[in-house]
Amino acid sequence: MISILLALIAATGYGVSDFFGGIAARRVTALRVVVVSYPWSVLLVLLIAPLVGGAADTASMLWGLAAGVASGLAVWWFYAALADGPMSVVSPVTAVLVAGIPVVAGLFLGERPGVIAVAGIGLALIAVVLVSREAPDETTEEIIGGRELRFSRRVALLTVGSGAAFGLTFFFLHETSPSAGLWPLLGQRAAATAVVWISALGAREFGGLHGEPLRLALWIGVLDVIANAALLYAFHGAMLSVVSVIGSLYPAATVLLAMVLLGERISATQKLGMGLALAAVAMIAAS
């Protein structure tokens, strides 16, 4: 039960972080935000990890570094896919891969959740797709100059690559040792920072932030650390297939905040997805 709660905390942290990132991205590009938030998260982990304790064994640190490379590539490819592809397709395809790959990996490793948990996992996978699905945004079409957004072969590869990389991030974190404390998270954040910086330099998006975007970037860094730490401990107490699918419900928190704080209207499909997400969590927790 504690692991389920930690997974929910992780999903909420990711969702709120994405909400703040979306607000910041209305003034600057998303890549410029993570260029600041990622190294800030490294400093936060450096401050917290010694207090938590643990011994940084080689295997766990390597898994952490692998998770960082995967998450950094996932962010890079996801933004690239959104730049040229329709969000209504890119987002749900990415989401189902984020949730589905760790579930398949867990089953392959021999995990056998109970019948109710399996039903909850299946329901959660459907919920992730529904919550992530958005109707084409006319404002976005105007911002990009009326350019047609097509799910081309390149966009499809970026989308699948991003979803797979996010999913592998969950798997790699699961493989770390509980005795390593938060030290693998330090490797993860450092490696992700390196990947994001390289992509930002290549895209010429390596610029400073000021005012509200800077404040939001700092909050995003804090939320990322909380979410990743909660997920790390959740993985050490429960099955990969169960924790990962709950952690992947983060779009629900983003959509809910956009509705409550920004007054954005959400579609009937997204409302259904949020309802299914609640039912899925209840079923998994009860199993």
Side-chain angles (χ1 to χ4, degrees), residues 32-42 189 217-218 220-221 224:
R32 285 181 61 189
V33 175
V34 294
V35 160
V36 174
S37 66
Y38 274 36
W40 168 235
S41 69
V42 173
R189 303 314 297 169
L218 296 178
I220 289 170
D224 278 347

Side-chain angles (χ1 to χ4, degrees), residues 118-135:
V118 170
I121 289 172
L123 203 61
L125 290 173
I126 297 173
V128 168
V129 176
L130 295 179
V131 172
S132 302
R133 187 166 181 80
E134 299 182 20

Side-chain angles (χ1 to χ4, degrees), residues 15 39 70 78-79 140 152-153 175 203 212 216 249 252 259 264:
F78 183 63
Y79 290 155
T140 302
S152 63
R153 185 170 182 271
E175 293 301 297
E212 184 184 30
L216 289 171
L249 291 172
M259 179 182 68
E264 292 187 5

Side-chain angles (χ1 to χ4, degrees), residues 18-103:
D18 284 353
F19 174 75
F20 285 165
I23 294 176
R26 294 182 177 182
R27 296 193 178 185
V28 297
T29 62
L31 199 53
R32 285 181 61 189
V33 175
V34 294
V35 160
V36 174
S37 66
Y38 274 36
W40 168 235
S41 69
V42 173
L43 293 176
L44 291 174
V45 177
L46 271 174
L47 291 173
I48 298 170
L51 302 178
V52 175
D57 62 281
T58 302
S60 292
M61 292 305 295
L62 289 175
W63 284 118
L65 289 171
V69 172
S71 61
L73 289 174
V75 169
W76 183 359
W77 293 339
F78 183 63
Y79 290 155
L82 289 178
D84 294 322
M87 183 179 292
S88 59
V89 179
V90 172
S91 185
V93 170
T94 301
V96 75
L97 288 171
V98 174
I101 287 178
V103 171

Side-chain angles (χ1 to χ4, degrees), residues 66 78 80 91 109 113 115 124 146 183 198 207 248 260-261 283:
F78 183 63
S91 185
L109 292 174
V115 176
W183 294 111
I198 291 171
S248 65
V260 174
L261 298 182
M283 292 172 69

